[in-house]
Amino acid sequence: MTVTPLRTHPSLDHLDALESQAVFILREVAAECERPVLLFSGGKDSAVLLHLAVKAFSPQRLPFPVMHVDTGQNFPEVLEFRDRTVERLGARLVVARVQDSIDRGRVVDPGPLGSRNRLQSVTLLDAITEHGFDAAFGGARRDEDKARAKERILSFRNGFGQWDPRAQRPELWQLYQGRVNHGEHLRAFPLSDWTELDIWQYIEREQMALPSIYFAHQREVLKRDSMWLAVGPHVVPREGEVTEWRSVRFRTVGDANCTGAVESDADTLAAIVHEVAVANVSERGATRADDRFSETAMEDRKREGYF
Amino acid sequence: MSDSTKDLLRLATIGSVDDGKSTLIGRLLVDTRQLFDDQLDAVAHASQKRGVGDLDLSFVTDGLRAEREQGITIDVAYRYAATPTRKFIIADCPGHVQYTRNMATGASTADLALVVVDVNHGLKEQTRRHLVIAALLGVRSLVVAVNKMDTVNWSPTAYQSVVDEVDTIAGELGFANHVCVPVSALLGDNVVDVSPVSAWYEGPSVLGALEVADAGVWESAGAPRLPIQWVLRQDGGGRTYAGMMNGGTLLVGDTLTLLPAGVATTVTSIRAGSGEREDAVAGLSVDVALAEDTDAGRGDLLAAAPLPRVTRELDATICWFGDAPLEAGQRLRVKHTTRSTPARVVSLDGVIDITTLNVESTRELSTNEIGLARLATADALAVDDYRDNRVTGSFVLIDEVTNATVAAGMVGRASFLD
């Protein structure tokens, strides 16, 4: 046994290796599936995913549309970034609105301040059926959650859009096989093996643009469920809650009423990379109320067809 | 945690149920501070709720409800760890025999296997099965954690008897190197730091062994191979051919042969995510331009000499995962590199006895059995032996009705079966 570690792939560092793996998956699914779509929310992970998709097929245009499941409770900075990015790339954007699912009576309106997070699964599955998509690329990472840590890179969904964690297809080597019968579909996760730190190191290396709310800024916030929530149309102070101005940034971007901000002075990519490298709390633990319902909140939502 | 770039080691845990694989990984992650405070709190909370003590380390990776209820691992959990020199992708694999297909999923991309053996029981049949599969899948290095040493009062004799068993089977299966470490995953001895409790032991901790293991180098051995995934049309006409490199390094100016057509051509440029480059190493996604006008497309292979053989008949080692047995005459679909084509089982040439490693004659392969078969394919495939190339030597078999993946296939047979 040697004392000096040998590089597993000579001259490939971990970001090159992760980039190459993601590009490989994007090309493989695009080639094997009839009608793929890339889920793009404007968040950092889906921004990296879209950036990689552009690289995978450059100089051709993207061979698939991008889709946003719009809860109607987004941060305006994120929607602005979504539209600007899609226009810059000349990509085709499909917007599936939770409000339309409510209007059609597919889901119950939780009220102006209620969470629409869980309703997204219905809107997503209806859009997949309506457009006949047989594969949906998502930016989910296995380090985010214990149920995601169990999921295949190509994750099979039955005719009801459900994930069955007890009966996943074997996935050997890099032989990703994307064959599905009519009505079934795949979710494909090219960023499965990336960690939060890898994402930020890659964004810094590529000097990618992101929504401004990822960088430290002054914002009016209030403390609820031990999280800093941004005061705005979807978060109104309740009795006894005090609002204050703080220097914050967002580590994850979901709906405005269930995504917490973290106190931070990191206003550059280099500062964010450093902050993430020394963090004591996970990104979802710090910022996502939607994961706190139960021990298996993510697993339960994924079984229903969630991202 | 350093934020500089580093190399990447993929490892899979293997071993029988209840020998402590998930507990060891939990311990490794907790003691190297890879877990965030809230994740650790959640594990503690779940442990107390289910009445399994203050902190059940197996809950770090056993994240599904059924796994926590039953106290077993059903499917692979992927976890990530980093030390100042290395980044690890850890596939924590299930031990139960009915989930062998999930273990194979985790091991198929691994550079190294972390084997966990309960010192009280030695090598169980399921551990032997996993070692055979790991050897077949081309894992060449083992780190063997001889676990639960606290329950035998850190007896060097008990440890040595497991080491002897491991030495024997590692030799039989042809692993290039293996390191044994006496540990208590539960208490953390010799997992991250070497413990004073085993003063008689002079080797590294589990983490120490993982940090210096020289695994994975064979991915870049042999001649360059580039299976074509996608043809990119360039602005102003012209095409480039996209795919992931494997085998040896490809250079601009190299002569390649397009297979199965057999047409010679020259590489005029190489491009990767970061732009134009002079070379492409294994694991890099690239697109290349060729000097000659060819009709190359998805499923074709660009290869340098020595060339793979082009064939419609394959002798292969098969790990069968289907629910119904595999029999001669059966029709399936094969996916090999980026090509997919119908296939038929011409003959079943034996099943491997996990205990003796002998090949016995058989009429069928049952679920989780490993055997030898001859397949005929509709399209010609350009194949290498698996022992020479992990990409051009591997394939999966797909059920044509359900589209489920029902087998892992390796061209040729492992040297321990010769």
Side-chain angles (χ1 to χ4, degrees):
Chain A
M1 193 153 110
T2 53
V3 179
T4 324
L6 292 173
R7 287 189 167 273
T8 45
H9 296 298
S11 84
L12 267 196
D13 71 25
H14 78 274
L15 292 181
D16 286 330
L18 290 169
E19 178 186 69
S20 284
Q21 184 196 22
V23 164
F24 180 83
I25 295 161
L26 282 155
R27 287 173 176 160
E28 207 56 16
V29 173
E32 290 228 326
C33 296
E34 292 291 322
R35 303 192 67 164
V37 65
L38 185 147
L39 300 173
F40 179 60
S41 64
K44 66 180 192 315
D45 300 313
S46 65
V48 167
L49 184 62
L50 184 54
H51 180 85
L52 290 162
V54 170
K55 280 195 179 198
F57 301 102
S58 157
Q60 288 178 202
R61 282 208 174 179
L62 281 186
F64 38 74
V66 302
M67 179 160 79
H68 181 217
V69 177
D70 183 354
T71 59
Q73 296 176 334
N74 305 284
F75 290 97
E77 296 91 334
V78 178
L79 290 183
E80 184 269 329
F81 172 78
R82 176 196 78 183
D83 293 338
R84 179 159 42 95
T85 305
V86 165
E87 190 181 322
R88 175 171 58 83
L89 300 175
R92 187 161 73 83
L93 175 67
V94 176
V95 179
R97 290 185 176 79
V98 172
Q99 186 62 50
D100 292 342
S101 302
I102 292 171
D103 295 345
R104 278 187 227 145
R106 293 278 292 129
V107 293
V108 176
D109 190 347
L113 297 179
S115 173
R116 293 179 168 190
N117 185 280
R118 198 159 185 158
L119 311 184
Q120 294 179 92
S121 300
V122 173
T123 310
L124 172 64
L125 292 177
D126 285 355
I128 285 171
T129 306
E130 182 190 332
H131 294 276
F133 295 130
D134 57 355
F137 292 106
R141 309 188 324 265
R142 286 170 173 158
D143 77 324
E144 284 179 85
D145 176 87
K146 57 191 179 301
R148 285 192 167 158
K150 292 274 168 182
E151 194 166 8
R152 298 277 188 264
I153 287 173
L154 258 60
S155 183
F156 175 77
R157 300 303 159 104
N158 66 17
F160 299 93
Q162 292 170 310
W163 179 54
D164 182 355
R166 299 200 69 145
Q168 299 197 80
R169 284 182 177 175
E171 188 166 80
L172 292 129
W173 301 287
Q174 297 211 66
L175 285 167
Y176 303 112
Q177 74 100 349
R179 300 175 74 86
V180 293
N181 287 321
H182 184 72
E184 301 165 343
H185 73 280
L186 292 173
R187 302 291 173 84
F189 301 112
L191 306 182
S192 288
D193 286 333
W194 297 51
T195 63
E196 184 190 14
L197 184 59
D198 296 329
I199 291 285
W200 283 108
Q201 287 177 329
Y202 186 75
I203 290 168
E204 186 191 21
R205 185 181 94 172
E206 302 284 309
Q207 288 295 302
M208 287 172 50
L210 282 184
S212 58
I213 65 171
Y214 278 111
F215 299 88
H217 57 287
Q218 289 291 323
R219 185 178 283 264
E220 189 180 18
V221 291
L222 61 79
K223 197 135 212 175
R224 184 181 294 167
D225 301 332
S226 67
M227 288 193 306
W228 290 112
L229 295 183
V231 177
H234 308 293
V235 177
V236 177
R238 296 174 187 158
E239 200 174 314
E241 287 179 336
V242 184
T243 71
E244 52 190 301
W245 287 83
R246 295 249 169 189
S247 176
V248 297
R249 70 175 204 88
F250 289 86
R251 256 174 98 181
T252 68
V253 168
D255 286 353
N257 59 358
C258 69
T259 305
V262 292
E263 288 192 81
S264 171
D265 295 317
D267 56 0
T268 63
L269 288 173
I272 293 172
V273 168
H274 181 72
E275 185 185 278
V276 169
V278 300
N280 292 323
V281 180
S282 76
E283 60 175 354
R284 298 193 80 89
T287 64
R288 295 303 275 268
D290 44 333
D291 292 341
R292 294 183 175 181
F293 298 130
S294 78
E295 183 186 339
T296 52
M298 179 65 83
E299 180 181 340
D300 296 341
R301 279 180 295 159
K302 287 191 86 68
R303 284 173 179 272
E304 290 169 5
Y306 193 72
F307 301 107
Chain B
M1 199 188 293
S2 157
D3 34 326
S4 61
T5 58
K6 44 193 77 168
D7 79 344
L8 191 58
L9 181 82
R10 290 172 179 271
L11 66 103
T13 63
I14 64 177
S16 187
V17 59
D18 287 335
D19 281 0
K21 291 183 299 300
S22 298
T23 303
L24 179 68
I25 294 307
R27 172 60 68 187
L28 201 57
L29 293 169
V30 169
D31 286 4
T32 52
R33 302 179 195 288
Q34 305 293 331
L35 284 196
F36 293 110
D37 294 348
D38 56 304
Q39 293 172 328
L40 206 50
D41 286 349
V43 169
H45 181 74
S47 308
Q48 289 153 21
K49 194 175 99 184
R50 293 184 191 279
V52 289
D54 290 337
L55 189 69
D56 184 334
L57 289 168
S58 69
F59 282 11
V60 171
T61 52
D62 289 342
L64 298 174
R65 174 182 294 142
E67 292 179 323
R68 291 179 170 197
E69 282 169 1
Q70 297 167 33
I72 61 166
T73 306
I74 292 172
D75 212 328
V76 188
Y78 292 89
R79 286 284 175 176
Y80 306 85
T83 64
T85 52
R86 261 200 175 156
K87 194 177 146 68
F88 298 94
I89 297 180
I90 303 165
D92 184 29
C93 298
H96 279 84
V97 66
Q98 71 264 40
Y99 303 126
T100 300
R101 61 180 187 274
N102 298 337
M103 174 269 166
T105 291
S108 68
T109 54
D111 300 312
L112 175 148
L114 176 55
V115 188
V116 184
V117 182
D118 182 338
V119 67
N120 296 289
H121 298 120
L123 287 181
K124 295 178 192 159
E125 182 186 329
Q126 184 62 358
T127 310
R128 293 179 65 91
R129 179 185 302 274
H130 279 184
L131 284 167
V132 170
I133 294 171
L136 288 172
L137 288 170
V139 173
R140 298 199 173 175
S141 299
L142 304 178
V143 172
V144 183
V146 181
N147 193 23
K148 309 194 185 181
M149 284 297 296
D150 53 305
T151 64
V152 294
N153 212 13
W154 291 91
S155 154
T157 323
Y159 170 68
Q160 192 57 46
S161 76
V162 176
V163 171
D164 292 344
E165 274 190 282
V166 171
D167 287 349
T168 304
I169 192 166
E172 284 170 1
L173 294 173
F175 287 100
N177 56 67
H178 67 280
V179 183
C180 293
V181 187
V183 308
S184 167
L186 192 65
L187 303 174
D189 297 296
N190 293 333
V191 175
V192 170
D193 297 312
V194 175
S195 168
V197 75
S198 53
W200 47 267
Y201 170 71
E202 294 174 336
S205 69
V206 170
L207 183 66
L210 294 178
E211 279 203 288
V212 298
D214 60 337
V217 286
W218 77 297
E219 302 277 298
S220 51
R225 302 281 186 257
L226 180 62
I228 298 173
Q229 280 189 286
W230 190 276
V231 181
L232 289 167
R233 294 187 190 172
Q234 300 298 313
D235 298 335
R239 288 170 165 75
T240 60
Y241 303 92
M244 185 183 277
M245 272 305 302
N246 71 88
T249 302
L250 180 71
L251 300 172
V252 171
D254 278 359
T255 301
L256 295 177
T257 302
L258 176 68
L259 296 171
V263 182
T265 184
T266 308
V267 177
T268 55
S269 73
I270 300 173
R271 196 174 60 141
S274 47
E276 294 273 333
R277 46 192 297 155
E278 288 302 304
D279 65 352
V281 299
L284 192 67
S285 279
V286 294
D287 63 283
V288 300
L290 302 175
E292 290 74 16
D293 210 13
T294 69
D295 65 348
R298 178 175 168 81
D300 292 338
L301 178 73
L302 289 164
L307 295 178
R309 59 184 187 278
V310 175
T311 179
R312 286 192 168 81
E313 207 154 80
L314 296 176
D315 283 312
T317 308
I318 306 280
C319 297
W320 181 250
F321 306 131
D323 294 330
L326 177 69
E327 294 170 358
Q330 207 162 320
R331 219 186 107 118
L332 296 144
R333 179 165 279 274
V334 62
K335 184 175 182 189
H336 169 257
T337 67
T338 54
R339 185 181 288 259
S340 173
T341 182
R344 186 168 45 79
V345 181
V346 177
S347 59
L348 269 183
D349 303 323
V351 57
I352 299 171
D353 182 318
I354 298 292
T355 317
T356 62
L357 300 181
N358 292 331
V359 178
E360 312 287 349
S361 69
T362 186
R363 301 175 72 95
E364 59 177 46
L365 280 188
S366 324
T367 315
N368 297 320
E369 280 191 328
I370 303 160
L372 303 173
R374 171 167 291 194
L375 304 178
T377 59
D379 287 356
L381 302 176
V383 300
D384 289 296
D385 269 4
Y386 185 75
R387 64 172 94 172
D388 296 326
N389 190 301
R390 217 169 173 173
V391 174
T392 47
S394 62
F395 59 88
V396 291
L397 296 176
I398 300 163
D399 183 302
E400 290 195 302
V401 177
T402 63
N403 292 317
T405 304
V406 287
M410 287 148 282
V411 179
R413 50 164 79 187
S415 51
F416 66 82
L417 296 176
D418 288 346

